[in-house]
Structures are given as C-alpha cells and as structure tokens.
Amino acid sequence: MTIPGKVVAITGASSGIGAATARHLAALGASVVLGARRTDRLDHLVAEIETAGGRAVAARVDVTAPDDLRTLVDLAVERFGRLDVLVGNAGISRLSTLAELDVEGWSAMVDVNVKGILHGIAAALPVFTHQGSGHLVTVVSTSGLKITPTQAVYAGTKNAVRTLLEGLRQESTGGALRTTSISPGYVRTELVDQAIDDPTVREQVQQTMAEIGLDPGAVARAIAFAIDQPDDVEIGDLTIRPTRQD
Ligand code: NDP
C-alpha cells in the first residue's frame, strides 16, 4: 500500500462522501486534513479519527473563497510537512429545468462545483510543483455522463471539472502530477436534501436513494484505490454506481 504516511486534504469533509473518505483514508494510515464550513462536524470527525489512532486536523473552508483553500493547504504543510493529495469533493446540487430560470442556483453550483476546484488547484499546484509530486482527485458525477432533465447545469459543472483535470494532465510534464475524476452514481448522503424544491419530488428521490443508493464508504474505497497506486500509475476516470441504477 502507498497510502500509509500520505497527507491528504479533503474538501466537503463534514458529511457524506467526504467524511467517509476521511475515515477510510485515516484508518489506512493517511494523515487527513479536513475542510468544510460546518466546523462542529469537522471537530467531531477529527476527535473520532484520533480516538481510533489516526491523524487528522481541520479548518473552516468555504471553497468559494480562494484564501480558504490556501489555509487548508498551508495547514497540511505546517502540520504534516507536505501535501500528497487534494480531494476536491465539496459540491452542491440544485435541480430544476433550464426553463425555470433558477439563475441563483446556477451561479451557486458554478461557484462551489467549478470555482471551488479552481481555487483548490490555485492553492495546491504551487506545493505540488515545489515537491515534484502531487495528486488531484475530484468527485464529479455520473450525471455528467448521462444528461437527464433538471440536471443540465449540475452535469455541466461536473463535466467542466472533468475538462479542467484533463487540461491539467496535458499540461503537467514528467509525470509529477496525477489527476483522477471519480464519478459516483446515486449515493446515500445529504446532497438531495437541498437539491430539489418540490417536496413531493424530493421525497421520491430520497426514497430511491434510500432503496438503491450506495453507502458513501463505497466511494471512499474507490478514492482510496486511486490514491493507493504506485507513483507511475494514474487512475484517470473511475465510475462507481449502484448495480440497480438506470
Ligand atoms: P453532502 O451534502 O453530504 O456533502 C457535501 C459536502 O460539501 C459537505 O461536506 C458540505 O460541507 C460541502 N460543501 C458544500 N458547499 C461548500 C462550500 N461552499 N465550501 C466548502 N464545502 C462545501 O453530499 P455528498 O457527500 O453526496 O457530496 C460530495 C460530492 O459528491 C459532491 O461534489 C457531489 O456533487 C458529489 N456526488 C454526489 C452524489 C450523490 O448521489 N450523493 C452522486 C455524484 C456525485 P459544509 O456544508 O459543512 O460546508
């Protein structure tokens, strides 16, 4: 395994996939650096990981603020001496047809899902370049692979991130930087709770998630698989979905 001793920063670590990834990587011996806005949740997670014998620190991070990403990366370097992996996981979903003109929701998704990743790149890339190695993992979505009604903007943000990562890969020479896009299908998390305004539709989707959605730990294991490769191996794209998903 290459994970023990690695330093991994994770955005959106306060719930769902991010929290599960933090637990899993810490249990495998990584030092984890957690960022999100709900610091009470992060503090509980740090305590849980430390009680289990792992290493974790946390900072309040709003990914729409470039300085917050720099704080997260600086914390990794100050506390653990380096940053091996940034997992750009923080994300939001606001589902509606384009004709509903939810301009505010579109902007919010672009700000968090796309600019949030760019802010992570701006913070981590100088450190990766200085070290001569680094790995950017992003959590995108199967929504970007199969576009369905109400998901055009959400899917667009996820495909924008896929494009950014391929651009980064093309620009990085000598194999010093690895990039990975993880595309989960349905996962049982809090994401849907804020995504849909209509309570009837929201309950239907929540019901589907409860019935067939993956446990977030499944995505955490996929992320760990990508991180755990030898230095000369890059997992570029990885799709993980429930067997019962359309
Ligand atoms: P959750 O809602 O449980 O987690 C989302 C995380 O993002 C939270 O930790 C939240 O933390 C954080 N977040 C949201 N906005 C911001 C912000 N402005 N700054 C910092 N952190 C922020 O959902 P998931 O675990 O499902 O979502 C994680 C990722 O997985 C997202 O990118 C999502 O798009 C993607 N995904 C999820 C799928 C699913 O079915 N659940 C399927 C495919 C992809 P806080 O509010 O504390 O800041």
Side-chain angles (χ1 to χ4, degrees), residues 11-18 35-39 61-64 88-93 112-113 139-143 154 158 183-192 209:
T11 66
S14 57
S15 61
I17 293 168
R37 293 165 305 172
R38 290 172 292 176
T39 51
V61 170
D62 182 335
V63 296
T64 66
N89 164 73
I92 58 168
S93 173
V112 176
N113 299 357
V139 180
V140 290
S141 176
T142 56
S143 295
Y154 177 70
K158 295 303 188 179
S183 297
Y186 300 154
V187 187
R188 290 193 307 272
T189 69
E190 299 167 22
L191 191 75
V192 163
M209 288 290 189

Side-chain angles (χ1 to χ4, degrees), residues 44-55:
H44 279 111
L45 187 51
V46 167
E48 181 194 320
I49 288 169
E50 287 180 338
T51 302
R55 288 178 301 277

Side-chain angles (χ1 to χ4, degrees), residues 12-89:
S14 57
S15 61
I17 293 168
T21 301
R23 284 190 186 94
H24 186 56
L25 292 176
L28 294 176
S31 301
V32 292
V33 184
L34 314 180
R37 293 165 305 172
R38 290 172 292 176
T39 51
D40 52 335
R41 295 229 192 169
L42 294 180
D43 291 344
H44 279 111
L45 187 51
V46 167
E48 181 194 320
I49 288 169
E50 287 180 338
T51 302
R55 288 178 301 277
V57 289
R60 185 187 188 282
V61 170
D62 182 335
V63 296
T64 66
D67 284 352
D68 285 9
L69 269 303
R70 276 192 287 274
T71 299
L72 189 73
V73 169
D74 287 351
L75 182 62
V77 174
E78 277 162 28
R79 294 295 289 273
F80 300 120
R82 56 188 290 112
L83 176 69
D84 295 297
V85 187
L86 174 64
V87 180
N89 164 73

